[in-house]
Amino acid sequence: MTPDELRAACLAYKGAVEDFPFGPEPSVFKVAGKMFAISLLDERPLAVSLKCDPELSVSLRASYPAIRPGYHLNKRHWNTVTIDGSLSERMVLEMIEDSYDLVVKSLTRAQRTALGA
């Protein structure tokens, strides 16, 4: 997965936007003002931090060396995923979708309705 493909995958979701609240480097992908993905798109190897169910986080980290606790984030709820070819693109896309869904689930009813969720 290339940086452009990662950006496109994150922006493919309804209401998703790219923002730069932490300066020009980290791309922060949000829905309704809440983060669901963060990446330094120019960094190699490419990596993305994603929200994850806490119980699933533990299992993923134990099973895949490319998945580790979220860098500079709440390690209970965030994983940093290195996109180095050791994980399938499909798996990475599913983790992005899960992260987006977790954030949407936490929105108010009015926010979810506005998104069409």
Side-chain angles (χ1 to χ4, degrees):
M1 177 177 282
T2 68
D4 288 338
E5 290 169 336
L6 176 59
R7 175 182 279 123
C10 291
L11 292 175
Y13 295 97
K14 197 167 207 174
V17 297
E18 183 176 14
D19 194 11
F20 299 90
F22 307 122
E25 293 295 316
S27 290
V28 178
F29 299 94
K30 297 179 177 182
V31 59
K34 294 190 175 204
M35 299 187 305
F36 69 92
I38 305 168
S39 181
L40 293 169
L41 295 172
D42 292 332
E43 188 175 275
R44 296 298 172 269
L46 183 61
V48 62
S49 293
L50 301 165
K51 277 194 88 112
C52 188
D53 175 84
E55 290 178 24
L56 180 57
S57 286
V58 173
S59 173
L60 289 171
R61 292 172 195 165
S63 300
Y64 302 97
I67 302 175
R68 57 195 188 286
Y71 182 70
H72 286 302
L73 296 161
N74 181 329
K75 291 168 182 13
R76 180 170 153 74
H77 296 276
W78 287 85
N79 284 332
T80 296
V81 179
T82 301
I83 302 172
D84 60 4
S86 65
L87 303 173
S88 72
E89 185 170 317
R90 179 180 176 165
M91 183 176 184
V92 174
L93 292 172
E94 287 174 356
M95 287 188 287
I96 293 168
E97 181 178 17
D98 289 347
S99 181
Y100 174 87
D101 289 345
L102 280 171
V103 172
V104 169
K105 184 178 174 183
S106 75
L107 299 175
T108 66
R109 181 179 303 183
Q111 289 171 313
R112 288 192 310 271
T113 300
L115 281 174

